Amino acid sequence: MSALLNQLPASLNLLLVDDHNLLLDGLSLVLGSLAPDLRIHKAQTAEEARQLVGKQDFDLILLDLRLPDGSGLDLLRRWQQEGRLTPVAILSATDASHEVQAAYAAGARGFISKNCGAEALRDAVSRVLLGEVLPGPAARSHGRLTQRQFDILLLLAEGLPNKLISRRLHISQDTVKFHLKVLFQELGVNNRTACVSAARQLGLL
């Protein structure tokens, strides 16, 4: 067991959200050695997860991106909007760049592959529990874009209008318009559709 694991508190309360029973059982076994008093709760749908989070506090939520009744990202965004401080790490079978970036933009503290080994999973979960934000599996440069401009670009790619982008990022619509103007100039385009298309061609999305 690593030094990181030894620093964890003796009592931990985790929530695992995934629609596959076998994966949930496997995760429970792998994470079972994290703490002497480890309580693991399981949810197979977004609704089940919402209900559990509404009833009790968790030290960490491991969340799948795709659930039978909705998107894991939408669920994460809802918790962020509600002001919930529980750290959330995405557990996914994919590490597609746009999904990784969208997860971090939504407030995820880590993006963990379902294909990683048991020790790597325990280490990643431990680091998040200790307050660390894990680097993305396919981290890459945003070119000349600032992080704020990149965040706006990600939401633009989701088709969100300025009003929703401003709400999601907690900035004014005028600030969104300013950053969009800079984005258009940087990418040499004059509309939102062309901006997203150019960003994808450049590998930014």
Side-chain angles (χ1 to χ4, degrees):
M1 187 174 293
S2 70
L4 275 176
L5 297 183
N6 290 330
Q7 297 174 26
L8 291 175
S11 178
L12 287 172
N13 199 25
L14 308 184
L15 174 60
L16 312 181
V17 187
D18 194 285
D19 61 335
H20 293 95
N21 269 321
L22 284 176
L23 179 66
L24 290 174
D25 291 343
L27 286 172
S28 298
L29 287 173
V30 169
L31 299 177
S33 60
L34 283 180
D37 180 16
L38 176 66
R39 296 178 300 282
I40 294 181
H41 300 260
K42 303 172 185 178
Q44 291 186 284
T45 67
E47 182 58 32
E48 288 178 9
R50 280 194 293 265
Q51 291 181 8
L52 284 169
V53 170
K55 293 177 182 176
Q56 60 185 295
D57 294 326
F58 294 97
D59 296 297
L60 174 66
I61 299 171
L62 287 178
L63 178 64
D64 191 15
L65 284 176
R66 294 173 178 82
L67 299 168
D69 58 343
S71 161
L73 284 182
D74 288 342
L75 186 57
L76 173 56
R77 290 173 186 135
R78 176 170 174 171
W79 286 332
Q80 292 288 314
Q81 290 167 359
E82 292 173 352
R84 298 191 180 277
L85 301 178
T86 306
V88 177
I90 298 298
L91 190 65
S92 177
T94 176
D95 62 356
S97 178
H98 69 283
E99 291 191 331
V100 174
Q101 298 295 347
Y104 280 106
R109 303 294 296 274
F111 199 99
I112 305 170
S113 171
K114 289 182 179 180
N115 300 318
C116 71
E119 187 61 33
L121 175 62
R122 281 192 294 267
D123 184 67
V125 168
S126 298
R127 289 163 63 190
V128 176
L129 282 166
L130 290 167
E132 187 176 340
V133 177
L134 303 180
R140 57 188 177 189
S141 170
H142 306 332
R144 295 187 299 273
L145 303 185
T146 65
Q147 184 60 49
R148 177 62 76 197
Q149 290 161 2
F150 186 67
D151 291 342
I152 290 175
L153 178 61
L154 287 171
L155 297 178
L156 195 67
E158 292 184 31
L160 298 188
N162 289 359
K163 185 176 182 179
L164 290 182
I165 291 176
S166 69
R167 287 181 181 175
R168 187 74 60 79
L169 298 177
H170 306 292
I171 58 179
S172 71
Q173 291 190 57
D174 286 339
T175 301
V176 174
K177 291 177 183 177
F178 169 77
H179 284 303
L180 283 177
K181 181 178 179 181
V182 175
L183 275 171
F184 289 0
Q185 291 174 345
E186 286 286 348
L187 299 178
V189 298
N190 55 19
N191 63 65
R192 302 163 79 90
T193 302
C195 181
V196 172
S197 177
R200 284 182 173 141
Q201 291 175 4
L202 292 171
L204 294 173
L205 292 172

mmCIF file of all heavy atoms in Angstrom, residues 11-59:
data_model
loop_
_atom_site.group_PDB
_atom_site.id
_atom_site.type_symbol
_atom_site.label_atom_id
_atom_site.label_comp_id
_atom_site.label_asym_id
_atom_site.label_seq_id
_atom_site.Cartn_x
_atom_site.Cartn_y
_atom_site.Cartn_z
ATOM 1 N N SER A 11 -12.143 6.245 8.400
ATOM 2 C CA SER A 11 -13.546 6.099 8.014
ATOM 3 C C SER A 11 -13.814 6.833 6.712
ATOM 4 O O SER A 11 -13.494 8.025 6.580
ATOM 5 C CB SER A 11 -14.448 6.658 9.121
ATOM 6 O OG SER A 11 -15.814 6.566 8.764
ATOM 7 N N LEU A 12 -14.356 6.122 5.733
ATOM 8 C CA LEU A 12 -14.658 6.715 4.433
ATOM 9 C C LEU A 12 -16.045 6.282 3.960
ATOM 10 O O LEU A 12 -16.466 5.144 4.213
ATOM 11 C CB LEU A 12 -13.623 6.278 3.384
ATOM 12 C CG LEU A 12 -12.221 6.887 3.478
ATOM 13 C CD1 LEU A 12 -11.285 6.190 2.493
ATOM 14 C CD2 LEU A 12 -12.264 8.387 3.216
ATOM 15 N N ASN A 13 -16.711 7.190 3.269
ATOM 16 C CA ASN A 13 -18.042 6.916 2.732
ATOM 17 C C ASN A 13 -18.042 7.243 1.240
ATOM 18 O O ASN A 13 -17.917 8.406 0.859
ATOM 19 C CB ASN A 13 -19.076 7.776 3.471
ATOM 20 C CG ASN A 13 -20.490 7.253 3.328
ATOM 21 O OD1 ASN A 13 -20.693 6.056 3.099
ATOM 22 N ND2 ASN A 13 -21.465 8.130 3.439
ATOM 23 N N LEU A 14 -18.111 6.212 0.396
ATOM 24 C CA LEU A 14 -18.018 6.396 -1.046
ATOM 25 C C LEU A 14 -19.332 6.052 -1.736
ATOM 26 O O LEU A 14 -20.090 5.207 -1.268
ATOM 27 C CB LEU A 14 -16.919 5.501 -1.637
ATOM 28 C CG LEU A 14 -15.521 5.554 -1.017
ATOM 29 C CD1 LEU A 14 -14.569 4.666 -1.814
ATOM 30 C CD2 LEU A 14 -15.006 6.976 -0.956
ATOM 31 N N LEU A 15 -19.571 6.717 -2.869
ATOM 32 C CA LEU A 15 -20.726 6.400 -3.713
ATOM 33 C C LEU A 15 -20.227 6.012 -5.095
ATOM 34 O O LEU A 15 -19.503 6.787 -5.736
ATOM 35 C CB LEU A 15 -21.677 7.598 -3.818
ATOM 36 C CG LEU A 15 -22.850 7.444 -4.799
ATOM 37 C CD1 LEU A 15 -23.743 6.272 -4.413
ATOM 38 C CD2 LEU A 15 -23.662 8.745 -4.880
ATOM 39 N N LEU A 16 -20.608 4.830 -5.560
ATOM 40 C CA LEU A 16 -20.251 4.354 -6.897
ATOM 41 C C LEU A 16 -21.494 4.391 -7.769
ATOM 42 O O LEU A 16 -22.523 3.815 -7.410
ATOM 43 C CB LEU A 16 -19.715 2.917 -6.827
ATOM 44 C CG LEU A 16 -18.643 2.616 -5.777
ATOM 45 C CD1 LEU A 16 -18.211 1.153 -5.873
ATOM 46 C CD2 LEU A 16 -17.447 3.542 -5.946
ATOM 47 N N VAL A 17 -21.403 5.070 -8.902
ATOM 48 C CA VAL A 17 -22.562 5.228 -9.785
ATOM 49 C C VAL A 17 -22.242 4.630 -11.148
ATOM 50 O O VAL A 17 -21.444 5.181 -11.922
ATOM 51 C CB VAL A 17 -22.952 6.721 -9.943
ATOM 52 C CG1 VAL A 17 -24.257 6.837 -10.736
ATOM 53 C CG2 VAL A 17 -23.072 7.403 -8.590
ATOM 54 N N ASP A 18 -22.847 3.485 -11.449
ATOM 55 C CA ASP A 18 -22.644 2.798 -12.718
ATOM 56 C C ASP A 18 -23.795 1.815 -12.905
ATOM 57 O O ASP A 18 -24.335 1.301 -11.920
ATOM 58 C CB ASP A 18 -21.304 2.057 -12.728
ATOM 59 C CG ASP A 18 -20.891 1.621 -14.134
ATOM 60 O OD1 ASP A 18 -21.480 0.635 -14.643
ATOM 61 O OD2 ASP A 18 -20.005 2.259 -14.719
ATOM 62 N N ASP A 19 -24.167 1.553 -14.142
ATOM 63 C CA ASP A 19 -25.332 0.682 -14.368
ATOM 64 C C ASP A 19 -24.957 -0.784 -14.550
ATOM 65 O O ASP A 19 -25.808 -1.603 -14.878
ATOM 66 C CB ASP A 19 -26.150 1.169 -15.570
ATOM 67 C CG ASP A 19 -25.364 1.154 -16.871
ATOM 68 O OD1 ASP A 19 -24.128 1.239 -16.808
ATOM 69 O OD2 ASP A 19 -25.987 1.058 -17.943
ATOM 70 N N HIS A 20 -23.692 -1.124 -14.314
ATOM 71 C CA HIS A 20 -23.274 -2.517 -14.465
ATOM 72 C C HIS A 20 -22.957 -3.126 -13.100
ATOM 73 O O HIS A 20 -22.003 -2.705 -12.428
ATOM 74 C CB HIS A 20 -22.052 -2.623 -15.375
ATOM 75 C CG HIS A 20 -22.336 -2.245 -16.799
ATOM 76 N ND1 HIS A 20 -22.109 -0.980 -17.283
ATOM 77 C CD2 HIS A 20 -22.859 -2.969 -17.825
ATOM 78 C CE1 HIS A 20 -22.461 -0.931 -18.560
ATOM 79 N NE2 HIS A 20 -22.919 -2.128 -18.913
ATOM 80 N N ASN A 21 -23.721 -4.125 -12.702
ATOM 81 C CA ASN A 21 -23.539 -4.768 -11.405
ATOM 82 C C ASN A 21 -22.148 -5.350 -11.223
ATOM 83 O O ASN A 21 -21.545 -5.240 -10.155
ATOM 84 C CB ASN A 21 -24.577 -5.886 -11.223
ATOM 85 C CG ASN A 21 -25.846 -5.388 -10.554
ATOM 86 O OD1 ASN A 21 -25.790 -4.580 -9.640
ATOM 87 N ND2 ASN A 21 -26.977 -5.868 -11.018
ATOM 88 N N LEU A 22 -21.627 -6.006 -12.263
ATOM 89 C CA LEU A 22 -20.316 -6.638 -12.155
ATOM 90 C C LEU A 22 -19.229 -5.608 -11.884
ATOM 91 O O LEU A 22 -18.317 -5.849 -11.082
ATOM 92 C CB LEU A 22 -19.993 -7.420 -13.436
ATOM 93 C CG LEU A 22 -20.715 -8.761 -13.621
ATOM 94 C CD1 LEU A 22 -20.358 -9.369 -14.970
ATOM 95 C CD2 LEU A 22 -20.360 -9.725 -12.486
ATOM 96 N N LEU A 23 -19.335 -4.456 -12.554
ATOM 97 C CA LEU A 23 -18.347 -3.404 -12.340
ATOM 98 C C LEU A 23 -18.453 -2.862 -10.916
ATOM 99 O O LEU A 23 -17.435 -2.649 -10.242
ATOM 100 C CB LEU A 23 -18.534 -2.277 -13.349
ATOM 101 C CG LEU A 23 -17.547 -1.110 -13.194
ATOM 102 C CD1 LEU A 23 -16.139 -1.574 -13.503
ATOM 103 C CD2 LEU A 23 -17.924 0.054 -14.085
ATOM 104 N N LEU A 24 -19.660 -2.637 -10.452
ATOM 105 C CA LEU A 24 -19.854 -2.141 -9.089
ATOM 106 C C LEU A 24 -19.264 -3.106 -8.068
ATOM 107 O O LEU A 24 -18.598 -2.696 -7.113
ATOM 108 C CB LEU A 24 -21.343 -1.914 -8.811
ATOM 109 C CG LEU A 24 -22.004 -0.751 -9.559
ATOM 110 C CD1 LEU A 24 -23.509 -0.752 -9.303
ATOM 111 C CD2 LEU A 24 -21.392 0.575 -9.135
ATOM 112 N N ASP A 25 -19.502 -4.405 -8.273
ATOM 113 C CA ASP A 25 -18.955 -5.411 -7.353
ATOM 114 C C ASP A 25 -17.434 -5.428 -7.408
ATOM 115 O O ASP A 25 -16.758 -5.526 -6.375
ATOM 116 C CB ASP A 25 -19.503 -6.793 -7.703
ATOM 117 C CG ASP A 25 -20.992 -6.928 -7.404
ATOM 118 O OD1 ASP A 25 -21.521 -6.094 -6.638
ATOM 119 O OD2 ASP A 25 -21.618 -7.852 -7.944
ATOM 120 N N GLY A 26 -16.890 -5.323 -8.621
ATOM 121 C CA GLY A 26 -15.439 -5.316 -8.776
ATOM 122 C C GLY A 26 -14.803 -4.099 -8.123
ATOM 123 O O GLY A 26 -13.763 -4.204 -7.452
ATOM 124 N N LEU A 27 -15.432 -2.933 -8.309
ATOM 125 C CA LEU A 27 -14.920 -1.710 -7.691
ATOM 126 C C LEU A 27 -14.930 -1.829 -6.172
ATOM 127 O O LEU A 27 -13.995 -1.401 -5.493
ATOM 128 C CB LEU A 27 -15.773 -0.506 -8.116
ATOM 129 C CG LEU A 27 -15.586 0.009 -9.539
ATOM 130 C CD1 LEU A 27 -16.636 1.064 -9.855
ATOM 131 C CD2 LEU A 27 -14.186 0.572 -9.726
ATOM 132 N N SER A 28 -16.002 -2.392 -5.645
ATOM 133 C CA SER A 28 -16.116 -2.552 -4.194
ATOM 134 C C SER A 28 -14.975 -3.412 -3.654
ATOM 135 O O SER A 28 -14.392 -3.119 -2.599
ATOM 136 C CB SER A 28 -17.463 -3.178 -3.827
ATOM 137 O OG SER A 28 -18.535 -2.347 -4.236
ATOM 138 N N LEU A 29 -14.638 -4.481 -4.361
ATOM 139 C CA LEU A 29 -13.551 -5.359 -3.933
ATOM 140 C C LEU A 29 -12.198 -4.649 -4.002
ATOM 141 O O LEU A 29 -11.396 -4.730 -3.077
ATOM 142 C CB LEU A 29 -13.520 -6.618 -4.805
ATOM 143 C CG LEU A 29 -14.632 -7.641 -4.573
ATOM 144 C CD1 LEU A 29 -14.558 -8.743 -5.620
ATOM 145 C CD2 LEU A 29 -14.525 -8.236 -3.167
ATOM 146 N N VAL A 30 -11.977 -3.951 -5.122
ATOM 147 C CA VAL A 30 -10.695 -3.272 -5.322
ATOM 148 C C VAL A 30 -10.487 -2.166 -4.285
ATOM 149 O O VAL A 30 -9.375 -1.978 -3.771
ATOM 150 C CB VAL A 30 -10.616 -2.682 -6.749
ATOM 151 C CG1 VAL A 30 -9.414 -1.749 -6.882
ATOM 152 C CG2 VAL A 30 -10.527 -3.797 -7.779
ATOM 153 N N LEU A 31 -11.546 -1.421 -3.971
ATOM 154 C CA LEU A 31 -11.417 -0.286 -3.061
ATOM 155 C C LEU A 31 -11.574 -0.680 -1.595
ATOM 156 O O LEU A 31 -11.424 0.160 -0.705
ATOM 157 C CB LEU A 31 -12.470 0.777 -3.418
ATOM 158 C CG LEU A 31 -12.374 1.362 -4.832
ATOM 159 C CD1 LEU A 31 -13.518 2.336 -5.085
ATOM 160 C CD2 LEU A 31 -11.028 2.053 -5.042
ATOM 161 N N GLY A 32 -11.855 -1.945 -1.355
ATOM 162 C CA GLY A 32 -12.135 -2.401 -0.002
ATOM 163 C C GLY A 32 -11.014 -2.187 0.997
ATOM 164 O O GLY A 32 -11.256 -2.114 2.204
ATOM 165 N N SER A 33 -9.775 -2.061 0.505
ATOM 166 C CA SER A 33 -8.631 -1.915 1.418
ATOM 167 C C SER A 33 -8.269 -0.455 1.686
ATOM 168 O O SER A 33 -7.269 -0.183 2.360
ATOM 169 C CB SER A 33 -7.408 -2.629 0.833
ATOM 170 O OG SER A 33 -7.061 -2.061 -0.428
ATOM 171 N N LEU A 34 -9.059 0.478 1.205
ATOM 172 C CA LEU A 34 -8.719 1.898 1.374
ATOM 173 C C LEU A 34 -8.773 2.343 2.830
ATOM 174 O O LEU A 34 -7.990 3.193 3.257
ATOM 175 C CB LEU A 34 -9.669 2.772 0.547
ATOM 176 C CG LEU A 34 -9.422 2.850 -0.960
ATOM 177 C CD1 LEU A 34 -10.447 3.749 -1.613
ATOM 178 C CD2 LEU A 34 -8.011 3.343 -1.259
ATOM 179 N N ALA A 35 -9.718 1.822 3.591
ATOM 180 C CA ALA A 35 -9.880 2.267 4.980
ATOM 181 C C ALA A 35 -10.481 1.149 5.813
ATOM 182 O O ALA A 35 -11.277 0.351 5.300
ATOM 183 C CB ALA A 35 -10.770 3.510 5.024
ATOM 184 N N PRO A 36 -10.150 1.089 7.098
ATOM 185 C CA PRO A 36 -10.735 0.065 7.973
ATOM 186 C C PRO A 36 -12.256 0.165 8.050
ATOM 187 O O PRO A 36 -12.956 -0.849 8.087
ATOM 188 C CB PRO A 36 -10.083 0.361 9.335
ATOM 189 C CG PRO A 36 -8.833 1.101 9.012
ATOM 190 C CD PRO A 36 -9.143 1.909 7.797
ATOM 191 N N ASP A 37 -12.762 1.399 8.114
ATOM 192 C CA ASP A 37 -14.203 1.617 8.176
ATOM 193 C C ASP A 37 -14.647 2.243 6.855
ATOM 194 O O ASP A 37 -14.802 3.458 6.746
ATOM 195 C CB ASP A 37 -14.557 2.528 9.359
ATOM 196 C CG ASP A 37 -16.068 2.775 9.465
ATOM 197 O OD1 ASP A 37 -16.843 2.027 8.835
ATOM 198 O OD2 ASP A 37 -16.461 3.727 10.163
ATOM 199 N N LEU A 38 -14.796 1.406 5.845
ATOM 200 C CA LEU A 38 -15.167 1.874 4.510
ATOM 201 C C LEU A 38 -16.609 1.484 4.216
ATOM 202 O O LEU A 38 -16.970 0.306 4.260
ATOM 203 C CB LEU A 38 -14.247 1.252 3.458
ATOM 204 C CG LEU A 38 -14.582 1.572 1.998
ATOM 205 C CD1 LEU A 38 -14.386 3.061 1.713
ATOM 206 C CD2 LEU A 38 -13.736 0.728 1.057
ATOM 207 N N ARG A 39 -17.417 2.483 3.920
ATOM 208 C CA ARG A 39 -18.812 2.241 3.549
ATOM 209 C C ARG A 39 -18.983 2.603 2.085
ATOM 210 O O ARG A 39 -18.720 3.745 1.686
ATOM 211 C CB ARG A 39 -19.757 3.066 4.433
ATOM 212 C CG ARG A 39 -19.698 2.672 5.895
ATOM 213 C CD ARG A 39 -20.609 3.523 6.768
ATOM 214 N NE ARG A 39 -20.277 4.940 6.730
ATOM 215 C CZ ARG A 39 -19.272 5.486 7.402
ATOM 216 N NH1 ARG A 39 -18.489 4.727 8.164
ATOM 217 N NH2 ARG A 39 -19.038 6.772 7.330
ATOM 218 N N ILE A 40 -19.412 1.627 1.284
ATOM 219 C CA ILE A 40 -19.601 1.841 -0.152
ATOM 220 C C ILE A 40 -21.081 1.733 -0.482
ATOM 221 O O ILE A 40 -21.734 0.734 -0.187
ATOM 222 C CB ILE A 40 -18.794 0.813 -0.974
ATOM 223 C CG1 ILE A 40 -17.295 1.044 -0.768
ATOM 224 C CG2 ILE A 40 -19.155 0.915 -2.451
ATOM 225 C CD1 ILE A 40 -16.411 0.093 -1.552
ATOM 226 N N HIS A 41 -21.600 2.785 -1.085
ATOM 227 C CA HIS A 41 -22.991 2.809 -1.535
ATOM 228 C C HIS A 41 -22.988 2.742 -3.059
ATOM 229 O O HIS A 41 -22.069 3.248 -3.716
ATOM 230 C CB HIS A 41 -23.687 4.077 -1.065
ATOM 231 C CG HIS A 41 -23.703 4.230 0.429
ATOM 232 N ND1 HIS A 41 -24.792 3.930 1.202
ATOM 233 C CD2 HIS A 41 -22.725 4.638 1.286
ATOM 234 C CE1 HIS A 41 -24.514 4.161 2.472
ATOM 235 N NE2 HIS A 41 -23.250 4.577 2.550
ATOM 236 N N LYS A 42 -24.012 2.130 -3.625
ATOM 237 C CA LYS A 42 -24.061 1.926 -5.072
ATOM 238 C C LYS A 42 -25.350 2.487 -5.657
ATOM 239 O O LYS A 42 -26.415 2.396 -5.031
ATOM 240 C CB LYS A 42 -23.966 0.435 -5.406
ATOM 241 C CG LYS A 42 -22.725 -0.248 -4.846
ATOM 242 C CD LYS A 42 -22.781 -1.754 -5.050
ATOM 243 C CE LYS A 42 -21.617 -2.459 -4.386
ATOM 244 N NZ LYS A 42 -21.701 -3.935 -4.540
ATOM 245 N N ALA A 43 -25.244 3.069 -6.851
ATOM 246 C CA ALA A 43 -26.415 3.549 -7.584
ATOM 247 C C ALA A 43 -26.235 3.158 -9.042
ATOM 248 O O ALA A 43 -25.131 3.264 -9.591
ATOM 249 C CB ALA A 43 -26.558 5.067 -7.451
ATOM 250 N N GLN A 44 -27.319 2.713 -9.662
ATOM 251 C CA GLN A 44 -27.240 2.291 -11.067
ATOM 252 C C GLN A 44 -27.905 3.272 -12.022
ATOM 253 O O GLN A 44 -27.839 3.096 -13.234
ATOM 254 C CB GLN A 44 -27.862 0.901 -11.226
ATOM 255 C CG GLN A 44 -27.043 -0.192 -10.553
ATOM 256 C CD GLN A 44 -27.593 -1.581 -10.833
ATOM 257 O OE1 GLN A 44 -28.603 -2.000 -10.273
ATOM 258 N NE2 GLN A 44 -26.935 -2.306 -11.728
ATOM 259 N N THR A 45 -28.527 4.290 -11.479
ATOM 260 C CA THR A 45 -29.163 5.317 -12.317
ATOM 261 C C THR A 45 -28.855 6.692 -11.744
ATOM 262 O O THR A 45 -28.469 6.827 -10.573
ATOM 263 C CB THR A 45 -30.695 5.144 -12.382
ATOM 264 O OG1 THR A 45 -31.247 5.398 -11.076
ATOM 265 C CG2 THR A 45 -31.075 3.738 -12.845
ATOM 266 N N ALA A 46 -29.065 7.722 -12.571
ATOM 267 C CA ALA A 46 -28.862 9.093 -12.107
ATOM 268 C C ALA A 46 -29.834 9.428 -10.982
ATOM 269 O O ALA A 46 -29.480 10.101 -10.009
ATOM 270 C CB ALA A 46 -29.041 10.066 -13.279
ATOM 271 N N GLU A 47 -31.065 8.944 -11.103
ATOM 272 C CA GLU A 47 -32.075 9.224 -10.086
ATOM 273 C C GLU A 47 -31.695 8.604 -8.747
ATOM 274 O O GLU A 47 -31.834 9.234 -7.695
ATOM 275 C CB GLU A 47 -33.448 8.707 -10.536
ATOM 276 C CG GLU A 47 -34.579 8.997 -9.553
ATOM 277 C CD GLU A 47 -34.755 10.469 -9.246
ATOM 278 O OE1 GLU A 47 -34.488 11.311 -10.137
ATOM 279 O OE2 GLU A 47 -35.127 10.790 -8.106
ATOM 280 N N GLU A 48 -31.215 7.365 -8.760
ATOM 281 C CA GLU A 48 -30.778 6.729 -7.523
ATOM 282 C C GLU A 48 -29.638 7.522 -6.888
ATOM 283 O O GLU A 48 -29.600 7.700 -5.663
ATOM 284 C CB GLU A 48 -30.321 5.297 -7.795
ATOM 285 C CG GLU A 48 -31.443 4.323 -8.113
ATOM 286 C CD GLU A 48 -30.915 2.928 -8.424
ATOM 287 O OE1 GLU A 48 -29.706 2.687 -8.219
ATOM 288 O OE2 GLU A 48 -31.700 2.087 -8.887
ATOM 289 N N ALA A 49 -28.715 7.980 -7.725
ATOM 290 C CA ALA A 49 -27.583 8.756 -7.216
ATOM 291 C C ALA A 49 -28.060 10.073 -6.607
ATOM 292 O O ALA A 49 -27.586 10.476 -5.536
ATOM 293 C CB ALA A 49 -26.589 9.018 -8.345
ATOM 294 N N ARG A 50 -28.988 10.745 -7.273
ATOM 295 C CA ARG A 50 -29.517 12.008 -6.750
ATOM 296 C C ARG A 50 -30.161 11.803 -5.380
ATOM 297 O O ARG A 50 -29.979 12.609 -4.461
ATOM 298 C CB ARG A 50 -30.534 12.611 -7.727
ATOM 299 C CG ARG A 50 -29.913 13.352 -8.902
ATOM 300 C CD ARG A 50 -30.941 14.189 -9.624
ATOM 301 N NE ARG A 50 -31.947 13.361 -10.282
ATOM 302 C CZ ARG A 50 -31.896 12.978 -11.553
ATOM 303 N NH1 ARG A 50 -30.858 13.331 -12.289
ATOM 304 N NH2 ARG A 50 -32.841 12.254 -12.089
ATOM 305 N N GLN A 51 -30.923 10.733 -5.257
ATOM 306 C CA GLN A 51 -31.597 10.469 -3.990
ATOM 307 C C GLN A 51 -30.602 10.196 -2.866
ATOM 308 O O GLN A 51 -30.746 10.695 -1.743
ATOM 309 C CB GLN A 51 -32.563 9.294 -4.153
ATOM 310 C CG GLN A 51 -33.774 9.604 -5.033
ATOM 311 C CD GLN A 51 -34.721 8.425 -5.146
ATOM 312 O OE1 GLN A 51 -34.578 7.426 -4.459
ATOM 313 N NE2 GLN A 51 -35.701 8.547 -6.038
ATOM 314 N N LEU A 52 -29.578 9.402 -3.158
ATOM 315 C CA LEU A 52 -28.578 9.084 -2.139
ATOM 316 C C LEU A 52 -27.810 10.328 -1.703
ATOM 317 O O LEU A 52 -27.569 10.540 -0.512
ATOM 318 C CB LEU A 52 -27.609 8.025 -2.666
ATOM 319 C CG LEU A 52 -28.135 6.590 -2.705
ATOM 320 C CD1 LEU A 52 -27.194 5.686 -3.485
ATOM 321 C CD2 LEU A 52 -28.318 6.050 -1.287
ATOM 322 N N VAL A 53 -27.426 11.150 -2.680
ATOM 323 C CA VAL A 53 -26.671 12.373 -2.367
ATOM 324 C C VAL A 53 -27.536 13.354 -1.568
ATOM 325 O O VAL A 53 -27.032 14.123 -0.746
ATOM 326 C CB VAL A 53 -26.143 13.020 -3.666
ATOM 327 C CG1 VAL A 53 -25.582 14.408 -3.401
ATOM 328 C CG2 VAL A 53 -25.061 12.135 -4.290
ATOM 329 N N GLY A 54 -28.840 13.310 -1.812
ATOM 330 C CA GLY A 54 -29.737 14.181 -1.063
ATOM 331 C C GLY A 54 -29.939 13.754 0.375
ATOM 332 O O GLY A 54 -30.362 14.549 1.227
ATOM 333 N N LYS A 55 -29.620 12.493 0.682
ATOM 334 C CA LYS A 55 -29.871 11.958 2.021
ATOM 335 C C LYS A 55 -28.637 11.944 2.916
ATOM 336 O O LYS A 55 -28.758 11.961 4.141
ATOM 337 C CB LYS A 55 -30.409 10.526 1.905
ATOM 338 C CG LYS A 55 -31.788 10.420 1.271
ATOM 339 C CD LYS A 55 -32.189 8.952 1.133
ATOM 340 C CE LYS A 55 -33.551 8.810 0.461
ATOM 341 N NZ LYS A 55 -33.905 7.383 0.246
ATOM 342 N N GLN A 56 -27.446 11.871 2.329
ATOM 343 C CA GLN A 56 -26.240 11.771 3.157
ATOM 344 C C GLN A 56 -25.032 12.348 2.450
ATOM 345 O O GLN A 56 -25.062 12.616 1.252
ATOM 346 C CB GLN A 56 -25.975 10.312 3.519
ATOM 347 C CG GLN A 56 -25.754 9.400 2.325
ATOM 348 C CD GLN A 56 -25.621 7.946 2.730
ATOM 349 O OE1 GLN A 56 -24.679 7.573 3.416
ATOM 350 N NE2 GLN A 56 -26.587 7.124 2.342
ATOM 351 N N ASP A 57 -23.963 12.543 3.214
ATOM 352 C CA ASP A 57 -22.725 13.094 2.673
ATOM 353 C C ASP A 57 -21.763 11.966 2.299
ATOM 354 O O ASP A 57 -21.724 10.926 2.957
ATOM 355 C CB ASP A 57 -22.051 14.001 3.702
ATOM 356 C CG ASP A 57 -22.878 15.242 4.001
ATOM 357 O OD1 ASP A 57 -23.549 15.732 3.080
ATOM 358 O OD2 ASP A 57 -22.852 15.705 5.157
ATOM 359 N N PHE A 58 -20.998 12.212 1.250
ATOM 360 C CA PHE A 58 -19.995 11.252 0.806
ATOM 361 C C PHE A 58 -18.635 11.918 0.742
ATOM 362 O O PHE A 58 -18.527 13.126 0.516
ATOM 363 C CB PHE A 58 -20.361 10.693 -0.576
ATOM 364 C CG PHE A 58 -21.612 9.863 -0.575
ATOM 365 C CD1 PHE A 58 -22.836 10.411 -0.938
ATOM 366 C CD2 PHE A 58 -21.579 8.532 -0.194
ATOM 367 C CE1 PHE A 58 -23.998 9.652 -0.926
ATOM 368 C CE2 PHE A 58 -22.729 7.755 -0.171
ATOM 369 C CZ PHE A 58 -23.944 8.321 -0.541
ATOM 370 N N ASP A 59 -17.589 11.120 0.924
ATOM 371 C CA ASP A 59 -16.228 11.632 0.793
ATOM 372 C C ASP A 59 -15.809 11.705 -0.673
ATOM 373 O O ASP A 59 -14.946 12.510 -1.040
ATOM 374 C CB ASP A 59 -15.256 10.737 1.567
ATOM 375 C CG ASP A 59 -15.531 10.763 3.062
ATOM 376 O OD1 ASP A 59 -15.397 11.843 3.666
ATOM 377 O OD2 ASP A 59 -15.913 9.710 3.607
#
